[in-house]
């Protein structure tokens, strides 16, 4: 919305030692990361990793139990921040008795001065929906479509999407994703998408936040994170991991028969006769999801930049 | 009521309309609340109009009957006038039930309104998760709650005030002697400002319980219990809201005062020491005089509120109920501010 969005140093989300509870369980513990503005960030992690809790805290629906989270430079839920953040909850809540048109008109009434009816209607049309259809009579996928249109109509600077595509069919998912990315690119919206569907993230997200067990495991530009890793394959018949890997950080190593496949963070050239490739995003994520104990990797752009005085919880 | 009944197909380029609205989104919240409960709002309005029209006709018929049969001169002070008079019996048959049941309805309306606020208005929104939609727009949860409190409160102030005024106006046309079961002390909960104040309390209690419980049915159950307990408390406090008139006598006073419709609060013996023995236990079939002798008493006392106390009692109780409502509403705002950012 503002020209400031285009400054590379602007921060959309920034957490230091963030903790939050969900149903008396510590869902987030000591989360520290930063998401620069203007990125499309994938938020990945196993079930119960704290993805939804993180998004709910950022949306101002839940108070953190410790640490700090700054959203667009302010506190979540602050009157100056609230109008600039849109959030789509996992269950896509909408009023079932409202028609699509009434739902959008509610969006306009609740976001005075911000609402963009044309954008919202364009996304509704993308899903082939009638404006006069009652929300309660729509299928799950169609409701998702309305909910996405509602979130985008607010013209947010930061869009938080919790499992947005889970009940869309592949065709609709493709169409909605493309429409979403086009809108996001046009307005330089920062998007954070929590998702299980790793394939839908490939090619759309340029930033990555992997959390497991309430902690950040990976954070940074997708490109940088991928190039920091190598997928190593080769014949190996001994027990344990090859000695020549000792100099590197092994994220995960598996042996199938005589074939060894390892995801490693090389600290220099890898010796030995191995087939070395750059992992795909999906391979990178799967490797880290399988090995929750692997050391975290936080790219420099994902380090919080809050003044140190504010780091105290 | 239906501020936004399907605005057809809004054309692209309504952005300007959005911008023009400006403001804080409070108007949007009010519209959302009314739209979400449009059916209920229309039903409530319909019921209100029907009851108002019914009361106007009822009053006209009462006035007509009273004038035709001169009940207004014959039944003013004599509480038993009805039983000996055919005209009074006919009056009772014709108007007793309509007046009584309309009154009951008004008596229970505050509870119904409280249950509605607790369940469909707030509990359901928390249970179904739609609050996540409302609270992540440009308006804060606290403002959302304020509107959820204000809309029913304004509806109560407008609608129930009108209804209670109409009922009081109809009730005043009834000669005191004809319908003892509608005397002021028995119709107290349906008259004047008390139903309105009770309803405001019910709205606040419903909102607080709905917010705390977050489940439709549980919130309604909780409101039923909490509000009933509060009203029970108010009712037990009621006789002490203003000083009673005390009448002393040597003979045992009857439970009916001479002027008919007084509200007897307490009757008992006055001991020789000057102390009071309320409702002394004399055993079955003991003469009042012997009873007084048994307790070594010098005479009897009777505490009562004459009908002239009605408005003092009403305004005092309404004041307490509104203060309680304000406290409860403040508690719910505090709760939402503390729980959510």
């Amino acid at each position: 919305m503002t020209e400031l969005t285009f400054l590379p140093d602007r921060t959309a989300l920034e957490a230091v030692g963030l903790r939050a509870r969900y149903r008396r369980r510590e869902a987030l513990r000591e989360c520290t990361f930063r998401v620069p503005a203007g990125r499309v960030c994938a938020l990945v992690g196993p079930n119960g990793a704290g993805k939804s809790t993180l998004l709910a805290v950022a949306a101002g629906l839940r108070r953190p139990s410790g640490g700090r989270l700054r959203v667009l430079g302010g506190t979540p839920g602050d009157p100056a921040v609230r109008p600039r953040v849109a959030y789509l909850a996992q269950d896509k809540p909408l009023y079932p008795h409202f028609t699509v048109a009434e739902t959008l008109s509610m969006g306009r009434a609740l976001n005075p001065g911000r609402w963009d009816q044309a954008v919202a209607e364009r996304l509704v049309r993308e899903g082939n929906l009638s404006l006069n259809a009652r929300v309660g009579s729509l299928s799950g996928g169609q409701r998702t479509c309305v909910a996405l249109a509602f979130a985008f109509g607010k013209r947010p600077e930061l869009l938080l999407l919790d499992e947005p595509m889970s009940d869309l069919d592949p065709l609709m998912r493709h169409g909605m994703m493309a429409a979403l990315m086009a809108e996001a690119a046009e307005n330089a919206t920062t998007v954070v998408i929590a998702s299980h569907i790793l394939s839908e993230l490939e090619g759309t997200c340029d930033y990555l936040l992997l959390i497991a067990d309430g902690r950040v495991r990976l954070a940074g530009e997708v490109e940088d994170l991928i190039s920091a890793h190598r997928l190593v394959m080769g014949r190996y018949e001994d027990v344990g991991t090859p000695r020549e890997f000792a100099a590197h950080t092994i994220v995960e190593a598996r042996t199938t028969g005589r074939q060894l496949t390892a995801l490693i963070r090389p600290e220099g050239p890898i010796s030995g006769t191995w087939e070395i490739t750059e992992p795909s995003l999906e391979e990178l994520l799967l490797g880290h999801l399988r090995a929750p104990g692997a050391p975290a990797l936080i790219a420099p752009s994902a380090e919080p930049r809050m003044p140190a005085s504010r780091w105290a919880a | 009521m239906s501020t936004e009944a399907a605005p057809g197909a809004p054309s692209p380029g309504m952005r300007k309309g959005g911008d023009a609205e400006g403001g804080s989104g409070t108007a949007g919240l009010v519209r959302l609340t009314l739209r979400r409960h449009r059916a209920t709002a229309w039903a409530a309005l319909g019921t209100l109009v029907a009851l108002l029209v019914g009361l106007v006709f009822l009053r006209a018929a009462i006035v007509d009957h009273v004038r035709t049969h001169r009940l207004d001169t014959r039944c003013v002070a004599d509480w038993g006038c009805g039983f000996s008079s055919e005209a009074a019996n006919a009056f009772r048959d014709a108007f007793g039930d309509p007046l009584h049941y309309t009154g009951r309805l008004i008596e229970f309306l505050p509870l119904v309104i409280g249950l509605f606020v607790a369940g469909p208005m707030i509990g359901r929104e928390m249970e179904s998760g739609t609050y996540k939609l409302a609270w992540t727009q440009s308006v804060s949860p606290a403002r959302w709650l304020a509107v959820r409190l204000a809309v029913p409160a304004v509806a109560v102030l407008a609608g129930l005030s009108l209804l209670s005024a109409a009922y009081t106006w109809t009730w005043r046309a009834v000669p005191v002697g004809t319908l003892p079961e509608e005397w002021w002390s028995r119709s107290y909960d349906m008259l004047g400002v008390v139903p309105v104040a009770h309803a405001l309390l019910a709205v606040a209690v419903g909102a607080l319980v709905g917010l705390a419980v977050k489940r439709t049915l549980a919130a309604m159950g909780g409101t039923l219990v909490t509000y009933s307990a509060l009203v029970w408390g108010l009712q037990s406090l009621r006789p002490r809201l203003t000083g009673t008139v005390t009448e002393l006598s040597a003979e045992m006073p009857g439970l009916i005062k001479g002027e008919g419709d007084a509200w007897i609060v307490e009757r008992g013996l006055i001991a020789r020491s000057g102390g009071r023995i309320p409702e002394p236990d004399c055993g079955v079939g003991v003469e009042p005089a012997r009873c007084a002798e048994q307790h070594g008493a010098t005479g009897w006392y009777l505490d009562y509120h004459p009908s002239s106390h009605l408005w003092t009692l009403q305004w005092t109780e309404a004041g307490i109920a509104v203060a309680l409502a304000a406290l409860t509403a403040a508690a719910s705002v505090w709760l939402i501010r503390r729980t959510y950012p």
Side-chain angles (χ1 to χ4, degrees):
Chain A
M1 300 308 286
T2 64
E3 62 280 6
L4 287 176
T5 318
F6 299 102
L7 290 179
D9 279 345
R10 235 173 94 92
T11 301
L13 267 183
E14 196 173 31
V16 174
L18 180 68
R19 285 197 305 277
R21 300 182 159 279
Y22 179 66
R23 301 197 179 170
R24 291 189 207 150
R25 204 173 52 82
E26 190 114 86
L28 293 176
R29 25 192 157 186
E30 301 293 326
C31 266
T32 301
F33 65 87
R34 169 178 175 263
V35 178
R39 302 305 190 118
V40 178
C41 175
L43 176 59
V44 187
N47 278 330
K51 303 188 294 289
S52 295
T53 307
L54 175 59
L55 290 184
V57 171
L61 283 176
R62 195 185 291 277
R63 267 188 204 282
S65 51
R68 288 186 63 92
L69 177 70
R70 295 185 62 81
V71 180
L72 299 172
T75 343
D78 188 84
V81 170
R82 205 180 279 282
R84 297 153 65 202
V85 179
Y87 167 69
L88 174 57
Q90 198 169 358
D91 50 351
K92 281 104 194 167
L94 288 170
Y95 295 107
H97 301 299
F98 284 25
T99 64
V100 175
E102 282 172 330
T103 304
L104 297 187
S105 122
M106 168 181 74
R108 189 171 59 234
L110 292 183
N111 297 291
R114 278 201 86 84
W115 186 256
D116 191 327
Q117 184 76 11
V119 166
E121 283 186 23
R122 194 151 64 224
L123 283 168
V124 165
R125 239 175 284 130
E126 189 69 39
N128 289 322
L129 294 176
S130 153
L131 281 172
N132 296 318
R134 212 157 275 280
V135 168
S137 69
L138 300 178
S139 73
Q142 291 170 319
R143 281 174 37 129
T144 300
C145 189
V146 177
L148 278 169
F150 191 88
F152 246 103
K154 195 178 175 182
R155 271 203 186 269
E157 287 167 50
L158 172 64
L159 177 59
L160 307 164
L161 304 172
D162 197 352
E163 300 280 347
M165 306 288 174
S166 53
D167 45 11
L168 292 180
D169 64 50
L171 200 62
M172 250 179 119
R173 182 182 303 160
H174 195 262
M176 280 314 282
M177 206 65 179
L180 215 69
M181 288 310 133
E183 298 292 349
E186 193 181 314
N187 302 302
T189 312
T190 312
V191 186
V192 179
I193 308 178
S195 181
H196 278 307
I197 306 165
L198 302 181
S199 58
E200 92 184 12
L201 303 174
E202 189 117 49
T204 42
C205 300
D206 55 9
Y207 215 80
L208 176 68
L209 203 56
L210 175 74
I211 56 175
D213 212 15
R215 288 188 176 83
V216 177
R217 319 301 321 168
L218 280 180
E221 288 90 352
V222 170
E223 260 176 52
D224 293 359
L225 290 175
I226 286 180
S227 62
H229 290 83
R230 286 292 178 272
L231 199 62
V232 181
M233 279 179 289
R235 215 176 141 83
Y236 183 68
E237 290 176 28
D238 283 346
V239 195
T241 46
R243 250 178 302 127
E244 53 261 53
F245 287 4
H248 314 298
T249 307
I250 305 168
V251 176
E252 189 222 3
R254 277 178 306 152
T255 322
T256 329
R258 291 168 186 169
Q259 179 77 17
L260 175 94
T261 311
L263 183 69
I264 63 174
R265 285 177 208 152
E267 311 288 340
I270 304 166
S271 57
T273 49
W274 305 98
E275 190 193 321
I276 302 170
T277 53
E278 216 169 58
S280 68
L281 176 60
E282 193 163 350
E283 282 162 341
L284 177 74
L285 292 173
L286 279 174
H288 281 88
L289 288 174
R290 284 199 208 103
L297 179 61
I298 314 292
S301 70
E303 300 275 3
R305 300 191 178 167
M306 285 186 225
S309 59
R310 292 193 186 155
W311 283 36
Chain B
M1 288 280 154
S2 62
T3 42
E4 46 169 0
S11 57
M14 280 186 74
R15 181 96 205 277
K16 251 181 11 194
D19 281 335
E21 243 162 277
S24 54
T26 307
L29 278 175
V30 173
R31 279 170 61 192
L32 165 65
T33 308
L34 288 177
R35 168 59 191 91
R36 209 163 86 80
H37 303 289
R38 186 163 64 184
T40 313
W42 281 116
L45 191 66
T47 313
L48 176 67
V49 170
L51 281 171
L52 287 177
V53 170
L55 280 170
V56 168
F57 277 103
L58 184 62
R59 184 179 193 276
I62 287 174
V63 168
D64 186 53
H65 189 105
V66 167
R67 201 171 291 145
T68 319
H69 299 279
R70 308 207 157 243
L71 293 181
D72 49 345
T73 46
R74 291 159 58 195
C75 294
V76 173
D78 175 12
W79 99 276
C81 98
F83 296 107
S84 54
S85 148
E86 213 168 282
N89 276 332
F91 181 88
R92 203 181 342 272
D93 287 345
F95 305 116
D97 279 357
L99 200 69
H100 184 74
Y101 289 112
T102 314
R104 291 291 129 180
L105 194 69
I106 295 170
E107 186 182 1
F108 283 105
L109 266 181
L111 177 61
V112 173
I113 292 166
L115 293 181
F116 180 76
V117 171
M121 265 191 112
I122 291 181
R124 196 173 71 198
E125 186 124 19
M126 303 301 288
E127 186 170 3
S128 67
T130 43
Y131 76 94
K132 290 185 249 176
L133 186 71
W135 294 6
T136 49
Q137 303 314 310
S138 299
V139 287
S140 68
R143 192 184 298 269
W144 171 89
L145 175 68
V147 169
R148 284 283 190 282
L149 280 165
V151 169
V154 167
V156 160
L157 282 175
L160 202 58
S161 297
L162 212 58
L163 190 58
S164 151
Y167 183 80
T168 309
W169 178 61
T170 306
W171 173 84
R172 276 172 178 277
V174 176
V176 170
T178 49
L179 293 172
E181 59 271 31
E182 306 302 330
W183 280 349
W184 68 270
S185 57
R186 292 165 193 170
S187 296
Y188 185 91
D189 283 309
M190 313 137 207
L191 297 177
V193 285
V194 158
V196 182
H198 281 188
L200 289 176
L201 178 60
V203 167
V205 168
L208 180 60
V209 175
L211 203 61
V213 175
K214 300 191 181 94
R215 294 275 176 277
T216 311
L217 282 178
M220 291 170 87
T223 303
L224 175 69
V225 172
T226 316
Y227 172 75
S228 304
L230 283 172
V231 167
W232 178 83
L234 282 175
Q235 284 172 341
S236 354
L237 205 64
R238 192 175 291 166
R240 286 180 276 282
L241 291 180
T242 185
T244 49
V245 177
T246 301
E247 188 180 82
L248 300 171
S249 58
E251 295 288 306
M252 181 174 77
L255 280 174
I256 310 296
K257 274 285 301 162
E259 68 177 290
D261 62 349
W263 178 20
I264 310 297
V265 175
E266 194 178 283
R267 179 177 69 162
L269 287 165
I270 296 187
R272 202 155 292 147
S273 60
R276 287 177 154 204
I277 312 165
E279 295 299 331
D281 178 19
C282 303
V284 180
V286 177
E287 296 260 317
R290 279 199 50 81
C291 182
E293 218 169 276
Q294 272 175 22
H295 287 87
T298 55
W300 294 80
Y301 72 91
L302 184 70
D303 286 344
Y304 69 97
H305 287 295
S307 56
S308 60
H309 284 190
L310 171 61
W311 297 112
T312 316
L313 289 170
Q314 279 255 337
W315 282 104
T316 315
E317 179 167 345
I320 295 172
V322 169
L324 272 177
L327 274 178
T328 316
S332 61
V333 171
W334 173 82
L335 179 66
I336 205 167
R337 281 239 171 97
R338 199 202 56 155
T339 319
Y340 307 99

